[in-house]
Amino acid sequence: QVQLVESGGGLVQAGGSLRLSCAASGRTFSSYYMGWFRQAPGKEREFVGRIMWSTGNTNYADSVKGRFTISRDNAKNTVYLQMNSLKPEDTAVYSCAAGNRAVVSSLYTAYDYWGQGTQVTVSS
């Protein structure tokens, strides 16, 4: 059974940093890409970024480029989202997801497995 479990969310002041973790289990993810999405109240789910397990190649939404970094630890089967220079508009529930279809990986429909999400709140 595939499980993605996020952790590391919390409350932080604007300008601060948080690191989210996504522990993956239940299958081999070497051929997968792992994405991070977020959803604020009343807003649509938004792509944050993704990483390829095999190569470490990443890409990011323009809104977080230069502030957020995705990495992975193959030995721990864990993906990280390092968030720096946080802004109040980054407040959302952040979820990780796994997919391996040959489609645009910024679309939430590209992902088959999802974590439960973790709340990130940035105060001004």
Side-chain angles (χ1 to χ4, degrees), residues 45-62:
R45 184 163 26 190
E46 177 189 15
F47 172 76
V48 173
R50 71 101 177 102
I51 187 168
M52 302 294 294
W53 266 114
S54 57
T55 63
N57 175 266
T58 56
N59 73 301
Y60 301 94
D62 287 343

Side-chain angles (χ1 to χ4, degrees), residues 23-94:
S25 61
R27 70 168 303 134
T28 301
F29 289 95
S30 57
S31 64
Y32 278 67
Y33 43 84
M34 304 295 289
W36 285 96
F37 288 78
R38 65 186 182 184
Q39 189 164 22
K43 294 189 177 181
E44 292 188 352
R45 184 163 26 190
E46 177 189 15
F47 172 76
V48 173
R50 71 101 177 102
I51 187 168
M52 302 294 294
W53 266 114
S54 57
T55 63
N57 175 266
T58 56
N59 73 301
Y60 301 94
D62 287 343
S63 59
V64 306
K65 203 171 292 183
R67 299 189 298 124
F68 290 12
T69 303
I70 300 174
S71 61
R72 90 272 195 233
D73 184 329
N74 289 339
K76 295 182 178 179
N77 239 26
T78 299
V79 174
Y80 302 98
L81 177 64
Q82 177 67 44
M83 305 185 293
N84 299 329
S85 302
L86 283 162
K87 305 174 183 180
E89 52 263 43
D90 294 318
T91 295
V93 174
Y94 285 71

Side-chain angles (χ1 to χ4, degrees), residues 1-6 22-27 29 34 77 96-98 113-116:
Q1 181 181 358
V2 173
Q3 277 195 315
L4 302 178
V5 180
E6 301 97 336
C22 172
S25 61
R27 70 168 303 134
F29 289 95
M34 304 295 289
N77 239 26
C96 66
Y113 305 107
W114 290 84
Q116 82 287 352

